[in-house]
């Protein structure tokens, strides 16, 4: 895993490092540009590009443009053919950018960016985009849009820090034109990847993302002293804490917890069975389904290891919980909507135990979410998809859809407001805890992840989280691990998977993950 940051966080880290010292700022710019140029050469060689590449470096008016001038100079000194194009007024630059511009002028000329669209780009040419970087807040104007529209698809774009036009916090493309073919083959970003590389348009337009350390360690240490932790990115590599999935030594089944999963009435039991099977497969020592009495007669008992107990009313749940060995509960899959589900949820939360609330348990509070929030605690995990999230947090959902709040910010605020861990499901799943710890699980990078959009898939995920919490893995880690394993299962199962396939694949997935974990 690695940390990623928002625009604001990166700017704070830079300020803490530089502290208005021009020499420090200039040194960072020199380091960034030099490392970027070296990576560009390495990438072009690996990509099989001709040694006689013509590099077109587009430099903007800010510090990103300063990085571009260093890149141009370094490429030139390495014997490469370089043309440099500039946007903006040279007199409005920072001291560092002005210095780097003057150093480039000792080697080559600078042409206005408007002339770039008349340049004859050939196969083997490479465009280096150092126009705007992470500071852009307004849309690309028509002039810039036309420039990017006219770059042939055969000519790769290498973005410096982030592709021009992408909001580095939200991933939204800021442009007066749609630019459907506009994307980077490679993004070279500094010190930390940005949220916008993985969210919205950024995911498809950033290409390969390479993070270049440039010596901002002191600024990061200072930032971490007084700010909430940075978001952790989980991609196809196992989370750092995947080792907790293992079971060490001989032990009794109760040492690995007892999960209770409530089910709805006849016709709705499949969801709870999927959750129960998943909780068992992921290692819970015991799993019991709480069934209405009318469901006992039709319970198929396909999985002999699942136990059952009557749970018609909240008082039945309270009686079940007299068994102190039950340490994790799951409510929602197929449970039904309305008063009874709310009362079951209230009883579960009042027990103070680990609780996963999914599906019906969330929707049942759509008209009274404040009463739910009053009962939530740090051992609770809520697992909404966007529609359920919008019912509990309508203002945050509205602001997210309008672009005022990035996805990560919205989930962080929802977790703080509710006092529970929020897992917002999607191809890019966000897991946030009230203390500010946040994970982005990038499902886009997993093969076949789109096939998880199938009935019952969410019930499996809820059961996996419940099973891990029963094993006394912290709720936050349980949630992140479960999302990761869920995606890995899709990768192994392939197209055509259905939810019933996933529980039986969990042992195989755990084996893969433990073999990869340090």
């Amino acid at each position: 895993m690695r940390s990623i940051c928002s625009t604001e966080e990166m700017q704070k880290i830079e300020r803490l490092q530089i502290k208005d010292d021009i020499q420090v700022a200039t040194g960072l710019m020199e380091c960034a540009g030099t490392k970027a140029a070296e990576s560009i050469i390495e990438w072009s060689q690996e990509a099989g590009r001709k040694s006689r590449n013509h590099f077109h470096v587009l430099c903007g008016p800010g510090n990103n443009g300063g990085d571009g001038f260093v890149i141009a100079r370094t490429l030139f000194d390495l014997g490469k053919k370089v043309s440099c194009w500039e946007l903006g007024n040279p007199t409005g630059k920072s001291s560092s950018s002005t210095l780097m511009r003057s150093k480039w002028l000792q080697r080559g000329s600078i042409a206005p960016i408007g002339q770039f669209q008349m340049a004859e780009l050939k196969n083997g040419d490479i465009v280096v985009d150092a126009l705007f970087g992470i500071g852009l807040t307004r849309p690309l104007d028509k002039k810039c849009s036309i420039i990017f529209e006219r770059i042939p698809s055969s000519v790769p774009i290498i973005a410096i820090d982030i592709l021009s036009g992408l909001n580095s916090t939200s991933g939204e493309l800021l442009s007066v034109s749609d630019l459907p073919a506009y994307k980077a083959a490679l993004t070279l970003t500094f010190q930390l990847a940005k949220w916008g590389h993985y969210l919205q348009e950024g995911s498809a337009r950033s290409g390969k993302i390479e993070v270049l350390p440039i010596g901002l360690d002191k600024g990061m240490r200072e930032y971490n002293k007084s700010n909430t932790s940075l978001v952790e990115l989980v991609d196809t590599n196992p989370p750092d804490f995947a080792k907790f999935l293992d079971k060490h030594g001989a032990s009794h089944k109760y040492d690995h917890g007892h999960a209770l999963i409530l089910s709805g009435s006849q016709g709705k039991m499949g969801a709870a069975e999927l959750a129960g099977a998943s909780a068992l497969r992921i290692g819970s020592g015991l799993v019991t389904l709480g069934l209405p009495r009318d469901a006992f007669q039709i319970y198929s008992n396909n999985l002999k290891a699942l136990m059952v107990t009557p749970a018609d009313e909240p008082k039945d749940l309270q009686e079940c919980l007299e068994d102190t060995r039950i340490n994790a509960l799951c409510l929602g899959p197929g449970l039904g909507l309305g008063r009874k589900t709310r009362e079951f949820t209230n009883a579960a939360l009042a027990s103070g135990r680990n609780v996963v609330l999914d599906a019906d348990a969330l929707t049942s509070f759509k008209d009274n979410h404040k009463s739910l929030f009053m009962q939530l605690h740090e051992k609770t995990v809520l697992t909404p998809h966007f529609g359920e999230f919008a019912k509990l947090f309508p203002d945050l959902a509205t602001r997210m859809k309008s672009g005022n709040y990035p996805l990560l910010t919205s989930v962080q605020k929802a977790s703080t407001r509710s006092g529970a861990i929020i897992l917002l499901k999607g191809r890019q799943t966000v897991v946030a805890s009230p203390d500010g710890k946040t994970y982005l699980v990038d499902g886009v990078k997993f093969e076949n992840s789109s096939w998880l959009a199938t009935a019952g898939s969410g019930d499996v995920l809820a059961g996996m989280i419940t099973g891990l919490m029963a094993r006394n893995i912290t709720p936050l880690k349980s949630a992140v691990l479960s999302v990761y394993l869920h995606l890995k299962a899709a990768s192994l199962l392939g197209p055509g998977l259905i939810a019933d396939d996933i529980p039986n694949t969990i042992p195989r997935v755990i084996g893969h993950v433990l073999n990869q974990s340090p």
Side-chain angles (χ1 to χ4, degrees):
M1 294 188 303
R2 64 180 187 270
S3 298
I4 59 176
C5 67
S6 66
T7 308
E8 181 183 5
E9 288 169 336
M10 189 75 256
Q11 290 170 340
K12 281 184 180 179
I13 291 168
E14 289 175 344
R15 285 197 298 269
L16 289 167
Q17 180 83 26
I18 295 169
K19 294 183 176 177
D20 296 324
D21 188 325
I22 294 174
Q23 287 186 322
V24 173
T26 303
L28 289 171
M29 187 174 287
E30 184 75 35
C31 180
T34 302
K35 286 197 171 187
E38 292 168 351
S39 292
I40 289 168
I41 295 295
E42 183 179 345
W43 177 85
S44 64
Q45 291 172 345
E46 289 177 355
R49 297 276 163 185
K50 300 173 184 177
S51 60
R52 59 178 182 272
N53 289 334
H54 186 171
F55 294 92
H56 298 268
V57 184
L58 313 184
C59 297
N63 287 335
N64 198 242
D67 297 336
F69 289 121
V70 179
I71 291 168
R73 168 166 45 93
T74 307
L75 290 173
F76 181 88
D77 290 346
L78 290 170
K80 303 302 178 183
K81 184 177 180 181
V82 180
S83 293
C84 201
W85 314 82
E86 182 177 35
L87 173 69
N89 185 347
T91 62
K93 297 184 183 298
S94 68
S95 299
S96 299
S97 294
T98 299
L99 175 62
M100 300 312 175
R101 184 179 187 275
S102 67
K103 286 187 175 184
W104 163 251
L105 284 172
Q106 295 170 19
R107 290 161 173 80
S109 61
I110 300 173
I113 195 73
Q115 295 179 15
F116 175 69
Q117 59 187 292
M118 296 180 285
E120 186 180 351
L121 299 178
K122 301 175 182 178
N123 287 345
D125 288 1
I126 293 175
V127 173
V128 178
D129 168 25
L131 281 177
F132 294 113
I134 68 171
L136 186 69
T137 56
R138 56 181 174 76
L140 293 175
D141 61 21
K142 190 65 177 175
K143 177 171 66 175
C144 288
S145 296
I146 290 173
I147 287 170
F148 291 127
E149 281 175 344
R150 293 184 178 175
I151 296 175
S153 59
S154 60
V155 175
I157 299 173
I158 297 179
I160 304 305
D161 223 359
I162 196 164
L163 187 70
S164 287
L166 286 178
N167 182 300
S168 59
T169 293
S170 69
E172 178 187 4
L173 179 64
L174 303 173
S175 173
V176 296
S177 304
D178 291 338
L179 300 175
Y182 173 51
K183 61 183 178 180
L186 172 70
T187 294
L188 300 172
T189 193
F190 303 121
Q191 198 70 33
L192 296 166
K194 314 308 183 287
W195 294 2
H197 291 135
Y198 302 96
L199 302 177
Q200 294 195 65
E201 297 279 338
S203 178
R205 294 183 187 264
S206 295
K208 179 185 176 183
I209 299 166
E210 185 177 337
V211 180
L212 305 177
I214 58 170
L216 288 172
D217 306 76
K218 181 180 177 182
M220 289 180 64
R221 286 194 299 271
E222 291 293 319
Y223 177 88
N224 290 333
K225 287 178 183 177
S226 55
N227 294 273
T228 56
S229 16
L230 297 170
V231 171
E232 295 291 323
L233 177 71
V234 180
D235 51 22
T236 54
N237 295 315
D240 296 344
F241 40 80
K243 61 185 178 182
F244 291 122
L245 290 168
D246 206 357
K247 288 186 176 181
H248 298 284
S251 55
H252 192 275
K253 58 182 177 287
Y254 278 108
D255 293 334
H256 301 290
H258 185 176
L260 175 63
I261 297 171
L262 295 191
S263 173
S265 57
Q266 297 183 30
K268 296 184 177 180
M269 294 164 49
E273 284 194 65
L274 284 170
S278 302
L280 271 178
R281 290 291 188 186
I282 210 161
S284 179
L286 299 91
V287 177
T288 297
L289 299 184
L291 303 177
R293 284 178 173 80
D294 63 359
F296 271 82
Q297 299 173 5
I298 62 164
Y299 178 55
S300 61
N301 200 25
N302 290 326
L303 199 63
K304 307 300 182 185
L306 282 174
M307 300 182 294
V308 295
T309 189
D312 270 316
E313 297 291 338
K315 63 180 179 61
D316 297 322
L317 174 59
Q318 291 166 342
E319 289 176 6
C320 286
L321 294 178
E322 291 175 6
D323 182 349
T324 56
R325 294 173 297 185
I326 296 174
N327 63 337
L329 296 90
C330 178
L331 292 84
L335 190 55
L337 298 172
R339 176 193 58 80
K340 186 181 286 189
T341 293
R342 289 193 295 273
E343 291 177 356
F344 273 127
T345 302
N346 296 341
L349 293 171
S351 73
R353 300 180 207 196
N354 296 307
V355 179
V356 174
L357 299 180
D358 183 47
D360 292 347
L362 301 175
T363 303
S364 290
F365 285 90
K366 67 177 182 178
D367 296 322
N368 197 8
H369 48 266
K370 290 183 180 178
S371 69
L372 174 64
F373 297 165
M374 290 174 63
Q375 303 173 78
L376 297 176
H377 50 73
E378 70 281 357
K379 293 182 181 180
T380 313
V381 179
L382 276 57
T383 59
H385 53 59
F386 183 80
E388 292 159 345
F389 182 89
K391 290 170 185 173
L392 295 177
F393 307 97
D395 59 321
L396 297 178
T398 298
R399 297 186 73 173
M400 198 191 317
K401 288 185 74 173
S402 67
N404 291 334
Y405 271 174
L407 170 67
L408 289 159
T409 302
S410 298
V411 181
Q412 288 171 333
K413 288 185 176 294
S415 180
T416 302
R417 180 184 300 178
S418 65
I421 291 162
I422 304 293
L423 187 161
L424 180 58
K425 294 181 285 196
R427 285 199 77 192
Q428 291 160 316
T429 295
V430 182
V431 185
S433 64
D435 63 1
K437 191 68 177 175
T438 306
Y439 294 85
L440 174 65
V441 187
D442 190 11
V444 174
K445 299 295 190 294
F446 289 78
E447 288 185 275
N448 310 310
S449 59
S450 295
W451 285 91
L452 288 172
T454 183
S457 174
D459 305 321
V460 170
L461 179 63
M464 293 168 73
I465 299 167
T466 308
L468 290 181
M469 291 201 301
R471 294 180 53 190
N472 289 317
I473 298 174
T474 66
L476 181 62
K477 288 183 170 67
S478 294
V480 175
L481 282 170
S482 296
V483 175
Y484 178 82
L485 295 171
H486 203 232
L487 288 161
K488 286 293 285 186
S491 298
L492 292 176
L493 285 166
L497 71 86
I498 61 172
D500 301 62
D501 301 326
I502 303 173
N504 290 337
T505 310
I506 291 173
R508 185 174 155 213
V509 174
I510 292 175
H512 275 260
V513 170
L514 290 177
N515 287 334
Q516 292 180 65
S517 298

